[in-house]
Amino acid sequence: MSNSNWFIFLLLLALSSLVSVHSLTHSSDITALRAFKSSLKFSSIPPNSCLATWDFTTDPCSEPRVTHFICGITCSGNRINQITLDSQGYTGTLTPLVSSLTQLITLDLGENNFYGPIPSSLSSLTNLQHLILRVNSFSGSVPQSLTTFKSLRTLDLSRNSLSGPLPNSINSLTSLTRLDLSYNRFTGFLPKLPPNLNELAVKANSLSGSLYKSSFDGLTQLMVVELSENSFTGILEPWFFLLPSLQQINLANNSFTSVVILKPVNINSQLVAINLSFNRIEGFLPANFSDYPTLRSLSLSYNRLRGPIPWQYSKKGSLQRLFLDGNFLNGSPPAGFFAGDTAVSGSLGDNCLRSCPVSSELCSKSQKPASICQQAYGGKKPRS
């Protein structure tokens, strides 16, 4: 073989090798992408959107992407591993055939107008780590099959029209660190939660019952709990505030009737913010809130609390925001709140306090009429 022919042979061999490395997208992935786009209303796909560039006359994973498939998907080799749509108001259903994208790591359809049920076939996506369907119009219940994911780290179904109870097997999502089911229509109790959660948000649903310790057992990494605007009842017990990594609690707008606070056993408690406003909490203000070393914000507005404000609150250097308005607190507020170097903002108004200086922002909202306070204390004039 001449040198020139040998060179041509080597060149062809190299080109064939290059083609094999950059092989065409797996046929089942192309079928799934076609079905995905076909399930949407054509009129909801703007000309300048990602989906408008999904033209199947070219290969989805081919490089470079100049005019087609320029956004919305990423590939690893010849497989689709991510679908992340832009927020264009795409309207339609989520095809069950998306389950053919078996190498998918991220499915993010957030802030569009997908409707109908979440396909139970998604459970076939065994490599999925992030499922984000937030701000759409999905309805029905959460498929039980979704709780079989072993790799899922993020599950965000917030701001849809999902309903029914939360799956009892949701704790099977052992890799899950972030769960957001807020602004749906879920009912029933809070089940046992996944063991590695960092963030829990189920705001603005219709969950009811008490918060049970069994639901939170083993959650040593839980930092954020957002359960406001539900119908939870009963007593908030000490164990809840003593979860070792807890930083932020929002349980406002529920129907809790009592709160019991013990001194933290962990001197390294990281609890920063507590919001228990707009409940039905009765009794005295727990002085032990002041023993949480990093607590900066405490809100107990519009409950049924009585008695004096613990003097310890005014001596707590970390406290920056304190909202106790809308209760039946009496006596004189601790003088430390009104010292020249105090940095506490908030409100002590709409109570039964006396000698609350109107020159202070804390006292800018007026107190309750004396007649209402006397009625609250069994016809007796509250102690000043």
Side-chain angles (χ1 to χ4, degrees), residues 36 72 81-87 90 104-112 114 128 130-134 136 154 156:
F36 183 92
N81 66 358
Q82 180 171 312
I83 296 180
T84 302
L85 293 188
D86 46 346
S87 303
Y90 300 123
L104 210 59
I105 294 174
T106 298
L107 179 59
D108 184 349
L109 312 181
E111 299 183 41
N112 282 290
F114 285 84
L128 199 66
H130 307 284
L131 178 59
I132 301 170
L133 306 180
R134 62 184 300 271
N136 278 284
T154 303
D156 190 344

Side-chain angles (χ1 to χ4, degrees), residues 302-323:
Y302 293 93
N303 281 284
R304 300 172 183 177
L305 295 163
R306 302 152 63 91
I309 299 173
W311 62 267
Q312 292 94 330
Y313 285 21
S314 67
K315 300 297 183 182
K316 182 164 182 54
S318 68
L319 195 62
Q320 298 176 1
R321 291 165 52 86
L322 179 65
F323 289 89

Side-chain angles (χ1 to χ4, degrees), residues 100-241:
S100 299
L101 300 168
T102 55
Q103 300 304 305
L104 210 59
I105 294 174
T106 298
L107 179 59
D108 184 349
L109 312 181
E111 299 183 41
N112 282 290
N113 194 28
F114 285 84
Y115 58 84
I118 299 173
S120 59
S121 62
L122 288 183
S123 60
S124 298
L125 303 177
T126 55
N127 295 300
L128 199 66
Q129 295 181 19
H130 307 284
L131 178 59
I132 301 170
L133 306 180
R134 62 184 300 271
V135 195
N136 278 284
S137 299
F138 287 105
S139 58
S141 59
V142 176
Q144 194 80 18
S145 60
L146 290 195
T147 64
T148 62
F149 287 120
K150 297 304 179 185
S151 301
L152 197 66
R153 298 175 58 190
T154 303
L155 178 58
D156 190 344
L157 307 179
S158 61
R159 296 183 183 273
N160 279 280
S161 297
L162 299 166
S163 59
L166 301 181
N168 285 329
S169 56
I170 199 168
N171 66 304
S172 299
L173 298 172
T174 52
S175 297
L176 198 69
T177 60
R178 181 173 177 267
L179 175 63
D180 194 343
L181 305 175
S182 302
Y183 295 98
N184 280 287
R185 301 170 186 171
F186 292 117
T187 56
F189 297 91
L190 192 68
K192 185 172 177 57
L193 296 164
N196 291 304
L197 274 187
N198 298 147
E199 299 179 35
L200 170 67
V202 200
K203 179 180 182 177
N205 280 275
S206 297
L207 299 181
S208 58
S210 299
L211 292 188
Y212 295 107
K213 189 176 182 179
S214 58
S215 298
F216 292 83
D217 266 353
L219 269 66
T220 59
Q221 301 174 58
L222 186 62
M223 295 185 288
V224 178
V225 175
E226 167 59 271
L227 296 174
S228 61
E229 298 181 48
N230 279 284
S231 299
F232 289 112
T233 58
I235 300 172
L236 285 169
E237 297 179 349
W239 62 262
F240 180 73
F241 300 91

